[in-house]
Amino acid sequence: MLCLPCKAEVNNQCTHPLEQVISRIHLPAGSYGKLGNATGIQTDLDRQQYSYIDAVCYEKQLHWFTKFFPYLVFLHTIIFAICSNFWLHYPSTSSRLEHFVSILYKCFDSPWTTRALSETVAEQTVINQTHKRSRLLTSLSSNAEDIDSGKQPLQSGVEATAVEDDASGLLDKKEGEQAKALFEKVRRFRLHVEQKDIIYRLYLKQIIVKVAALLIIITYVTYFLMHITFEIDCIVDIQAFTGYKRYQCVYSLAAIFKVLATFYVLLVFLYGFACFYSLWWMLRSSLKQYSFEAVREKSNYSDIPDVQNDFAFMLHLADQYDPLYAKRFSIFLSEVSENKLKQINLNNEWTVEMLRNKLTRSSKDKVELHLFMLNGLPDNVFELNEIEVMKLELIPDAKLTPMITQLVIFKELHIYHSTLTVDLQALSFLAENLESLHLKFTSFEKIPSWIFHLKNLKELYLSGPLDNHNFAQIEGLQDLKNLINLSLNSSIPRIPPVVTDMLPFLEKLSINNEGNRLLILISLKKMVNLTSLELINCDLERIPHSIFSLTELREIDFRGNNFKTVEEIISFQHLHKLTCLKLWHNSIAYIPLQIGALASLEQLYLNNNNIEMVPLQLFLCSKLRVVDLSYNNLTFIPEEIQHLKNLQHFALTKNNIETLPSGLFKCSKLQYLLLGKNSLTSLSPQVGDLTNLIKIELVGNQIETLPPELESCQSLKPSCIIVEPIVLHTLPLYAKENYKSSHR
């Protein structure tokens, strides 16, 4: 500011002193020039007074907008900077954005992304070639078309597998582990971010704040722009210090400030256009939803999920930079992609040699492979064509591929708490070859529907809770026309109608009801082809009458029920083919006299009951080969046991027997004699008459010496003489050393 005092005023404006005289004498304007040339205006002010006047007029008369314009521009810049970058530094959003950018770059550069996308291109090429061949085949004759159409799926499957195997070689073990870690990071990040929309809301709010600030700034800057003037009329009451009251001032920066302010308004308009465009972009469509539909259509990863909230918004922002980032990132959202990666890592970890070392021989002398707690089923398993039995336990994502057709002698499959996906071609192979299936599941798992397509299945073992959903699902059992053995280990209120009505060839039915009562057993009479029936832990109190019409029954097992009496046992005489009766682990107090009517009985299990006496009629069952009376309250055995000429296995463990009947030693075919935990004090020399004896158990008795006649039992191995160590010195001389070496 530069100010000069005003010595003369005309019409409330500063003027030349001569003009004031002329106006008083009423001369025309401009006439003062004729009066003589002016030589200047004397003010009589010193330099400090001028500085004082400049300072006072600057503070009192200069408009605040003109005065603070540079600082306002700086303040506006700070406001815009804060509004534009606040979300990048706010803790709740900045950490997520930085993490997202970090993961996005890693996914973009991951070799697995390149491998997955190149595999998609290769498979699409195969599909296109397949379609071309199909169009070519349609021009041929109908017979040739039928033949080739049957081969076409197989050819496509082989080619697709070849492409995949070739591509899998591009990924080494280290890269596979890195890609696996990326899948886990993406999963956790999505779980954490997709639940909230704090980034979206903060970004929208800061844009709204910027737009509102822009409107205010443009409005008031445009309005106050006219207050930036070069000349300023300053009227201040400082006459006591300078002798003047009015001053004429000039603001030397007015012109440049006016130009800069105008240019600043133009820049703000441009910036405002960008802000309005951002606001329109935010509001024109829902940025809280992101669809990968285009990616799903152009790739084989049709399971890529759509995302929402902050996760979707950040992907929309990435699209504004380069849509390829979201496309490559989507590979790590696909479960199919993750499963393929797991399969490659699994194949690298489990080689053919490692799997071959896990092969064992089962109790049925079959080659068995047992896999436990793996991430999946290695493809190298299908290279072991000697496998007959496969057990999969606690394997969450197992898949049977068409490569299973290489297991030409594969007959038995065990699935324990595992999820098994079966390829269509693999299912066709299983339907033709699989004979036995064991399935254990929990309430959180479902019975796979593919098991009901196994048309040649003969044995099915289901173990797990059958709730309303699963109970309805086993209606598919009606399609298993060749099923002859069905085992249900579950808690069900009744036998499913599909079992009794729709399985005409079923020969063996086993139900373990886990201690819960099984009701409505009348439907059992429909199962006329049953040869074996097991009702275990069914909380039964009486033998159901419906089974007495099943004339083909050979074996009955009532283990773990609440039988206190079995008076219905006489009705078993109508089952002429019954050879095995198991009434073990009940509360039976006595054996009915009618037991003697079961002439065809060969095996009788009455162990773990409360029986105190054996009726003589039992020994009328002359065909008995196995009699188990262990864990009862017996005190003696009648001499009539000698009538059981075919007896081979006799068990009396954990009773109160003090002496053995001499008739027992007349059962010349006896091979197994189990007498442990009784009250025997001696063993009769007649034991030498049991020349076919293979094993004798005497542990838990009070026998101090063994008779020398034991040497006559030539079939008895020293390791099968189970006695207390204190009796060791009484063994026959030929057996002492061998017994010492084999006793455990």
Side-chain angles (χ1 to χ4, degrees):
M1 287 277 289
L2 297 175
C3 299
L4 292 175
C6 184
K7 300 186 69 174
E9 295 184 23
V10 176
N11 298 328
N12 201 27
Q13 293 183 353
C14 287
T15 184
H16 196 277
L18 292 178
E19 289 188 0
Q20 184 178 14
V21 174
I22 293 171
S23 64
R24 287 182 178 180
I25 62 177
H26 304 289
L27 292 177
S31 300
Y32 69 92
K34 300 177 180 180
L35 299 177
N37 295 327
T39 58
I41 300 175
Q42 296 295 328
T43 59
D44 299 326
L45 297 175
D46 59 19
R47 184 175 181 181
Q48 287 190 349
Q49 287 175 317
Y50 278 114
S51 298
Y52 176 74
I53 294 169
D54 293 343
V56 172
C57 288
Y58 180 86
E59 292 296 331
K60 299 292 185 179
Q61 295 298 322
L62 188 63
H63 194 273
W64 65 268
F65 181 77
T66 307
K67 189 188 306 181
F68 297 110
F69 174 72
Y71 304 103
L72 290 176
V73 174
F74 180 68
L75 179 61
H76 298 165
T77 306
I78 292 178
I79 292 175
F80 290 143
I82 292 175
C83 291
S84 299
N85 297 282
F86 179 75
W87 72 313
L88 297 176
H89 300 280
Y90 184 62
S92 294
T93 57
S94 62
S95 59
R96 300 184 184 190
L97 290 169
E98 291 174 2
H99 197 186
F100 174 74
V101 172
S102 173
I103 293 178
L104 192 65
Y105 277 122
K106 290 180 180 179
C107 293
F108 189 87
D109 297 331
S110 173
W112 171 247
T113 310
T114 305
R115 186 252 188 216
L117 292 177
S118 62
E119 177 187 336
T120 296
V121 174
E123 290 183 356
Q124 287 178 346
T125 303
V126 171
I127 293 174
N128 292 336
Q129 293 175 355
T130 301
H131 289 168
K132 290 180 181 178
R133 286 199 298 269
S134 298
R135 287 194 295 268
L136 180 62
L137 288 174
T138 56
S139 64
L140 301 177
S141 63
S142 58
N143 292 337
E145 183 178 359
D146 293 339
I147 296 173
D148 292 341
S149 63
K151 297 180 180 179
Q152 188 67 27
L154 180 58
Q155 293 170 352
S156 301
V158 170
E159 290 173 358
T161 303
V163 170
E164 181 176 347
D165 291 342
D166 182 61
S168 65
L170 301 176
L171 203 69
D172 58 27
K173 186 175 181 180
K174 180 180 179 181
E175 293 171 341
E177 291 299 325
Q178 291 175 348
K180 180 181 177 181
L182 263 182
F183 271 104
E184 186 63 26
K185 286 184 179 179
V186 171
R187 185 184 297 107
R188 292 184 179 180
F189 180 76
R190 180 189 174 192
L191 181 65
H192 179 67
V193 174
E194 200 174 12
Q195 297 175 351
K196 299 179 181 180
D197 60 349
I198 183 172
I199 298 178
Y200 173 82
R201 288 188 288 109
L202 187 59
Y203 189 80
L204 180 60
K205 288 178 181 178
Q206 74 178 25
I207 289 181
I208 294 175
V209 170
K210 283 194 294 184
V211 170
L214 282 166
L215 292 175
I216 295 173
I217 291 171
I218 292 175
T219 302
Y220 89 83
V221 170
T222 305
Y223 175 76
F224 288 115
L225 189 60
M226 63 184 67
H227 289 80
I228 302 179
T229 58
F230 179 71
E231 293 185 356
I232 300 172
D233 189 15
C234 178
I235 302 174
V236 291
D237 189 12
I238 57 174
Q239 194 171 1
F241 303 101
T242 62
Y244 300 96
K245 183 178 181 180
R246 191 168 191 160
Y247 304 90
Q248 187 70 25
C249 303
V250 294
Y251 185 48
S252 60
L253 297 177
I256 186 65
F257 273 10
K258 202 161 190 175
V259 173
L260 290 176
T262 304
F263 184 69
Y264 173 70
V265 170
L266 294 177
L267 289 179
V268 171
F269 266 109
L270 293 176
Y271 186 70
F273 176 78
C275 291
F276 275 104
Y277 174 79
S278 298
L279 183 61
W280 173 79
W281 178 70
M282 291 283 292
L283 300 178
R284 72 183 177 91
S285 61
S286 177
L287 299 182
K288 295 171 65 175
Q289 303 289 334
Y290 191 95
S291 175
F292 288 100
E293 184 64 29
V295 180
R296 291 194 291 263
E297 290 178 355
K298 296 180 181 180
S299 69
N300 293 332
Y301 303 112
S302 58
D303 67 319
I304 299 176
D306 295 336
V307 295
Q308 58 185 359
N309 292 332
D310 281 345
F311 200 12
F313 178 62
M314 286 186 285
L315 288 173
H316 280 294
L317 290 176
D319 278 351
Q320 299 303 306
Y321 177 71
D322 188 351
L324 185 59
Y325 276 90
K327 180 179 179 181
R328 296 177 73 91
F329 185 81
S330 66
I331 299 299
F332 289 88
L333 295 173
S334 169
E335 289 187 7
V336 174
S337 174
E338 185 176 10
N339 291 336
K340 286 185 177 181
L341 175 65
K342 289 180 179 179
Q343 193 64 38
I344 292 175
N345 291 339
L346 196 65
N347 293 338
N348 291 335
E349 180 181 358
W350 289 91
T351 62
V352 176
E353 292 73 17
M354 292 179 62
L355 291 170
R356 195 178 301 278
N357 292 334
K358 292 183 69 66
L359 293 178
T360 58
R361 284 277 178 182
S362 67
S363 58
K364 298 180 181 179
D365 197 30
K366 293 182 178 181
V367 179
E368 177 181 298
L369 176 64
H370 187 185
L371 299 179
F372 179 73
M373 291 187 69
L374 300 185
N375 292 326
L377 187 62
D379 290 337
N380 293 326
V381 167
F382 307 118
E383 301 293 332
L384 308 176
N385 53 16
E386 64 267 36
I387 294 178
E388 298 177 78
V389 181
M390 187 185 303
K391 293 183 178 180
L392 308 178
E393 187 171 0
L394 294 175
I395 300 179
D397 297 307
K399 182 177 181 180
L400 293 182
T401 66
M403 296 176 63
I404 196 175
T405 55
Q406 301 177 29
L407 307 182
V408 292
I409 59 175
F410 179 60
K411 299 295 182 183
E412 186 174 338
L413 177 61
H414 297 246
I415 306 173
Y416 299 153
H417 306 296
S418 302
T419 303
L420 183 64
T421 304
V422 181
D423 182 87
L424 185 60
Q425 190 173 348
L427 179 59
S428 177
F429 172 81
L430 293 179
E432 295 293 336
N433 295 273
L434 195 64
E435 296 180 356
S436 179
L437 175 62
H438 298 247
L439 179 63
K440 287 185 180 180
F441 53 93
T442 64
S443 57
F444 300 102
E445 301 166 349
K446 296 181 180 179
I447 300 176
S449 58
W450 55 263
I451 70 172
F452 304 118
H453 296 277
L454 305 177
K455 60 182 181 180
N456 287 330
L457 192 66
K458 296 180 180 179
E459 299 179 359
L460 177 59
Y461 301 84
L462 298 178
S463 178
L466 293 174
D467 53 20
N468 293 333
H469 176 74
N470 282 338
F471 193 84
Q473 191 177 3
I474 65 172
E475 295 296 327
L477 289 173
Q478 60 185 332
D479 299 325
L480 304 180
K481 300 300 183 181
N482 292 318
L483 194 65
I484 61 175
N485 185 352
L486 176 62
S487 175
L488 300 176
N489 188 348
S490 181
S491 176
I492 53 178
R494 59 189 178 90
I495 302 177
V498 66
V499 175
T500 56
D501 300 341
M502 306 301 295
L503 298 177
F505 300 104
L506 199 64
E507 296 181 3
K508 180 176 180 180
L509 176 63
S510 175
I511 297 178
N512 187 336
N513 219 35
E514 300 178 347
N516 298 289
R517 177 158 296 187
L518 187 65
L519 305 173
I520 315 177
L521 298 174
I522 189 66
S523 57
L524 278 174
K525 64 171 62 176
K526 302 177 183 179
M527 309 184 72
V528 294
N529 291 318
L530 275 186
T531 61
S532 176
L533 176 63
E534 297 179 357
L535 299 179
I536 301 171
N537 298 322
C538 294
D539 196 25
L540 301 178
E541 296 181 354
R542 305 296 293 257
I543 297 176
H545 289 79
S546 54
I547 70 172
F548 298 134
S549 59
L550 306 179
T551 55
E552 297 296 323
L553 276 179
R554 292 181 173 83
E555 179 178 350
I556 298 177
D557 189 349
F558 286 116
R559 177 179 179 176
N561 287 283
N562 290 327
F563 293 159
K564 294 181 173 58
T565 178
V566 285
E567 294 294 342
E568 300 87 353
I569 203 169
I570 189 174
S571 299
F572 283 123
Q573 63 182 332
H574 303 296
L575 307 180
H576 301 293
K577 297 182 180 180
L578 184 65
T579 60
C580 180
L581 179 59
K582 297 180 179 180
L583 298 172
W584 46 354
H585 297 272
N586 281 278
S587 302
I588 300 174
Y590 65 95
I591 304 174
L593 302 179
Q594 294 83 356
I595 187 72
L598 308 183
S600 62
L601 201 62
E602 296 181 7
Q603 300 180 46
L604 178 62
Y605 295 85
L606 290 168
N607 49 298
N608 295 88
N609 281 286
N610 300 322
I611 300 173
E612 298 181 353
M613 184 180 66
V614 179
L616 300 180
Q617 287 77 3
L618 174 62
F619 306 116
L620 297 177
C621 305
S622 57
K623 294 184 179 181
L624 278 175
R625 294 184 293 105
V626 177
V627 177
D628 193 340
L629 297 171
S630 302
Y631 294 89
N632 280 284
N633 300 321
L634 298 175
T635 56
F636 75 99
I637 300 297
E639 290 288 343
E640 284 73 10
I641 193 175
Q642 60 184 318
H643 297 301
L644 301 181
K645 300 298 184 181
N646 295 308
L647 188 63
Q648 299 177 6
H649 182 108
F650 187 56
L652 283 174
T653 304
K654 197 66 172 66
N655 280 280
N656 298 316
I657 304 297
E658 297 182 358
T659 59
L660 296 176
S662 58
L664 176 63
F665 304 108
K666 297 180 181 180
C667 301
S668 57
K669 295 183 179 180
L670 191 63
Q671 297 179 353
Y672 298 90
L673 183 58
L674 308 180
L675 304 172
K677 299 181 181 179
N678 278 280
S679 302
L680 297 174
T681 56
S682 62
L683 185 63
S684 172
Q686 291 179 287
V687 69
D689 297 336
L690 304 177
T691 55
N692 293 313
L693 195 62
I694 296 177
K695 179 179 180 180
I696 182 171
E697 179 181 330
L698 299 170
V699 173
N701 287 280
Q702 301 176 11
I703 300 176
E704 296 182 358
T705 59
L706 294 177
E709 288 78 6
L710 213 55
E711 294 183 8
S712 303
C713 303
Q714 298 180 359
S715 300
L716 185 62
K717 297 181 180 179
S719 60
C720 293
I721 304 176
I722 313 301
V723 295
E724 302 287 353
I726 194 173
V727 193
L728 183 62
H729 68 281
T730 66
L731 285 173
L733 293 178
Y734 81 95
K736 274 187 180 180
E737 295 302 322
N738 291 334
Y739 181 76
K740 287 181 180 178
S741 63
S742 61
H743 179 67
R744 292 176 295 178

